[in-house]
Amino acid sequence: MKKVLLVISEWGYWGEELIGPLEACDAAGYDITFLTPTGKKPTPLSVSCAPGYTDPPLGRSVTSEQMAEKTRKVDYSNRLDHPKSLAHWFPQRAYPSSATYLRDMEAYYKKIDQIVAEELVEYDALVIVGGSGAMIDLANNYRLHELIIGFYKLNKPIAAECYGVACLAFARDFREKKSLIWGKHVTGHPIDYDYMDGTGFEGPHAIDGTNKGFGDGYINFGPPFYPLEFILRDAVGPEGAYIGRVGHETSVMVDYPFITSRSTASSVECGRVLVTVLEKGLTRYGW
């Protein structure tokens, strides 16, 4: 039985972007391990559970009754109640200002190498679920970067959806500082799809007192923190390519070991392609 590690933000994930790869992996009989930054149960974004929600940039509904119901069903079940904690699993990198920085980093890389050799080898693929929450606790999460690098070193598939693709752009060796997707062909949330207002976040951190001032657990940040398309264009370099396929309903790319998915409508295809990569060794798709 193949094992898949599925990473979800604690600040709001898009329901369909979980359901797409999750259903494909379930249908294939894979064993799923859910992972969140601190081990808290993730929360779906409310609009991804609201049938008929109209996405402002697209001017049409992006939440079907079927997907909304599937998202609610998973959320109400106990599947996501006790995810694995990334913070408890991977160590935190030391600050260069530490008085024992060199010794700290030696211990850090020793621990990382041990996790990769003894624990990551048990998994067959990594999936990073999209949604606006990924901008808060996934994109610049150093522990997640090390996890991604670990899968990369093991030459195992790494799938990322929508704003989750930013994690691939930022994952890089701390010394060389060149993105892992340098020279690769990727897709991801294009600037044409960015909100001018309504980029929302919700989840356990917003209501448990950890971050005071977020009221009932929802905050509207307005536009997204950054235009992901520009970041991806820079991260792949001159020999790679960002391909948005704007105007086409879906966009999924495979430039092994990376599988990238543009946004909500591409989620089911992303799951299907992930299974094809694992079962048939697909290494190139969509470009």
Side-chain angles (χ1 to χ4, degrees), residues 245-256:
R245 283 178 53 84
V246 174
H248 297 269
E249 185 175 355
T250 65
S251 181
V252 176
M253 307 282 162
V254 178
D255 195 345
Y256 196 87

Side-chain angles (χ1 to χ4, degrees), residues 82-161:
H82 303 287
K84 190 177 181 71
S85 169
L86 182 61
H88 291 162
W89 191 13
F90 275 70
Q92 182 64 281
R93 194 171 65 213
Y95 278 115
S97 60
S98 168
T100 56
Y101 178 67
L102 294 180
R103 301 291 81 76
D104 292 343
M105 290 306 289
E106 288 174 1
Y108 172 79
Y109 282 118
K110 183 177 181 179
K111 180 61 176 178
I112 293 294
D113 291 343
Q114 179 185 3
I115 292 173
V116 173
E118 298 179 5
E119 300 179 52
L120 289 195
V121 291
E122 298 180 5
Y123 296 95
D124 296 283
L126 174 67
V127 178
I128 303 170
V129 175
S132 54
M135 288 188 277
I136 290 185
D137 59 357
L138 298 185
N140 197 32
N141 188 319
Y142 294 162
R143 289 184 171 99
L144 180 55
H145 297 169
E146 291 290 2
L147 177 65
I148 293 168
I149 292 169
F151 271 85
Y152 182 81
K153 289 179 178 177
L154 293 171
N155 198 35
K156 295 188 176 185
I158 303 164
E161 303 175 276

Side-chain angles (χ1 to χ4, degrees), residues 182 229-238:
W182 185 268
E229 176 181 336
F230 295 168
I231 288 173
L232 294 176
R233 287 186 181 279
D234 292 343
V236 297

Side-chain angles (χ1 to χ4, degrees), residues 199-228:
T199 302
F201 305 99
E202 47 194 315
H205 289 298
I207 58 177
D208 68 1
T210 303
N211 291 272
K212 299 182 184 301
F214 290 112
D216 62 359
Y218 175 82
I219 179 172
N220 175 8
F221 189 82
F225 302 153
Y226 48 75
L228 179 58

